[in-house]
Amino acid sequence: MAKGLLVTYTLWAFGGPVGLHHLYLGRDSHALLWMLTLGGGGLGWLWEFWKLPSFVAQANRAQGRKQRPAEGRPPLSLLRFVAQMIVGIYFGLVALISLSSMDNFYIVGLPLAVGLGVLLVAAVGNETSDFKNTLGAAFLTSPVFYGRPIAILPISLAASVTAQKHRQYKASAESETISVRLYRLGLAYLAFTGPLAYSVLCNTAATLSYVAETLGSFLSWFSFFPLLGRLVESVFLLPCRIWWLLVGDPGFNSTQFQEWERLYEFVDSFQDEKRQLAYQVLGLPEGATSEEIHRSYRDLVKVWHPDHNRHQTEEAQRHFLEIQAAYEILSQPRKPRASW
């Protein structure tokens, strides 16, 4: 049955952020993406207002085609590439919060999560990409910055480049019943949200710590670019400001906004505790100069290097790793907290 434009706009207006209009048009990958990102943070949902006629026409053309192999190659899309990068990073951050306690997370869990996020964007619309090559690029890149949240960036970049390189049109497939499609979407949604919900409900304290550490590490990526860092923090606050402008609730600024700000204070305090511990490990007072930090690090590394402590290898290795981690934390310039 042909898809109607009026029905599509109605579903877009009342259920667009969760992908109801895409589900109606048979665009299941796009529907899942909107479910997991709430319509691309609302911006993607609003931008689609002008794209709905082409989506409806594409869905009706797909219904009239017989099943045959797709021909040609889709044009290169900068927008799709950027979306793949962003969603890959988003999936990686969620995995860091909910799954980082699992064994071999940075070798298995993180590249799998980032790769699946990139593939989800690659499968939006009438395009797709090669599953094995995209995931293979993610797994091969995972040793870069191993054990650090910044590893998400090279993994997402490598997977996105590979997905674009192997982009192709989807082959026409037999139509499926709505129950089968909903079952598949439900499983995918649970696979994404289940670990996060379990972590929040059953291990709340650890989850808060993971959230603070992940957000703190994410914001610290921009330490060398203060203007860009403030821009990223403003993006975090964008949903609050949009809600305030649309609803015009005068009490919003004194309640929810303050709660949002407390999250950043929590992240900042978490980073402060890490720096205090780092100073203690290096035996330095707070506010030590970079020369003092480097000198203390160099002296302690000589003392606790495992090659110089064969009689107490395990203890030496533990101290050696603590010293390296402390030096890495204190070597990063401290980013001043932005005022809202």
Side-chain angles (χ1 to χ4, degrees), residues 107-246:
I107 293 295
V108 179
L110 185 61
L112 180 61
V114 175
L116 290 177
V118 171
L119 283 169
L120 179 59
V121 178
V124 164
N126 63 344
E127 296 185 24
T128 187
S129 188
D130 186 80
F131 185 85
K132 292 182 179 179
N133 282 307
T134 303
L135 282 186
F139 278 98
L140 288 174
T141 316
S142 61
V144 179
F145 298 111
Y146 174 79
R148 298 172 59 188
I150 198 174
I152 296 174
L153 286 179
I155 295 173
S156 184
L157 177 61
S160 299
V161 170
T162 306
Q164 285 289 314
K165 181 179 179 181
H166 295 277
R167 66 191 185 279
Q168 57 190 2
Y169 287 111
K170 292 178 181 176
S172 300
E174 295 291 339
S175 60
E176 297 176 326
T177 62
I178 187 66
S179 59
V180 173
R181 293 168 56 206
L182 287 175
Y183 175 73
R184 186 183 296 116
L185 284 174
L187 287 180
Y189 186 82
L190 286 176
F192 181 88
T193 59
L196 184 60
Y198 174 82
S199 181
V200 170
L201 295 175
C202 300
N203 202 2
T204 307
T207 302
L208 284 174
S209 177
Y210 289 143
V211 170
E213 184 172 7
T214 301
L215 285 177
S217 299
F218 180 75
L219 294 175
S220 70
W221 295 346
F222 304 96
S223 297
F224 295 101
F225 307 99
L227 292 177
L228 185 58
R230 285 194 288 272
L231 175 62
V232 172
E233 292 175 350
S234 299
V235 170
F236 278 137
L237 286 172
L238 187 60
C240 301
R241 290 170 178 165
I242 291 176
W243 177 267
W244 189 24
L245 289 174
L246 292 177

